[in-house]
Amino acid sequence: PALGCDYKLVKVNELNRIKLNEDPIKTTMPGKKDLYRLYGKEGHPLADIIQEDGEPAPEGRVLCRHPNLELKRVYINPSSYKRLQKTWVKNGEILEPLPTIHDIKKLCEDEIRMMRRDHVRLLNPTPYKVSVSEAMYQMMHKMILEHTPIREME
């Protein structure tokens, strides 16, 4: 068994950093982030939204943007939401007792059970939406424009 992963630097000395790529899907999302899951009235997750750190939690009508496609966006009126991140260790200190492997397994199973069936079916599953907030979208695309060289022609 092997674990393949990449480490992407997104912030240095309080300055957001971005790694550009010709393939927009491989461009990193700069800065520290908050992640929320938005739920519909039936209790199923509708989408996850990535926000800049410090943005207010989603409330009311939420604009969800595709990270790369300008015209792909949707308003979601969630009946509830849940923050998906939790800080367990800070400055080398464990903030509260860590969950057991059994607790983590149960949490994962519970989250999968809450998903709509079309998202978890084995044949042609419906892709689950992961969007960015308007502020995250604007910050990211401003950085892309600032760091993308402009070619000259003569």
Side-chain angles (χ1 to χ4, degrees), residues 81-92:
Y81 69 89
K82 174 171 74 173
R83 189 169 196 270
L84 295 179
Q85 297 157 285
K86 185 169 187 173
T87 303
W88 295 96
V89 178
K90 188 171 186 176
N91 299 324

Side-chain angles (χ1 to χ4, degrees), residues 54-67:
E55 271 189 74
E59 198 174 3
R61 186 175 176 224
V62 180
L63 177 60
C64 296
R65 308 251 348 217
H66 187 284

Side-chain angles (χ1 to χ4, degrees), residues 34-40 43-50 58 76 78-85 107-108 110-112 114-115 128-130:
D34 288 327
L35 180 63
Y36 292 90
R37 180 155 292 155
L38 308 176
Y39 294 89
H44 297 296
L46 299 172
D48 292 350
I49 187 166
I50 302 168
I76 295 179
S79 60
S80 64
Y81 69 89
K82 174 171 74 173
R83 189 169 196 270
L84 295 179
Q85 297 157 285
L107 174 67
C108 291
D110 291 346
E111 288 294 322
I112 290 169
M114 290 182 72
M115 300 294 284
Y128 183 74
K129 290 181 179 27
V130 178

Side-chain angles (χ1 to χ4, degrees), residues 74-135:
V74 65
Y75 280 110
I76 295 179
N77 292 294
S79 60
S80 64
Y81 69 89
K82 174 171 74 173
R83 189 169 196 270
L84 295 179
Q85 297 157 285
K86 185 169 187 173
T87 303
W88 295 96
V89 178
K90 188 171 186 176
N91 299 324
E93 298 289 324
I94 297 175
L95 300 178
E96 61 182 272
L98 299 175
T100 67
I101 192 72
H102 300 293
D103 293 337
I104 295 168
K105 179 182 178 197
K106 183 180 180 325
L107 174 67
C108 291
E109 290 169 344
D110 291 346
E111 288 294 322
I112 290 169
R113 260 194 297 282
M114 290 182 72
M115 300 294 284
R116 286 190 343 232
R117 295 298 100 203
D118 61 309
H119 287 301
V120 294
R121 67 183 173 217
L122 297 178
L123 185 61
N124 297 324
T126 303
Y128 183 74
K129 290 181 179 27
V130 178
S131 302
V132 296
S133 67
E134 178 67 17

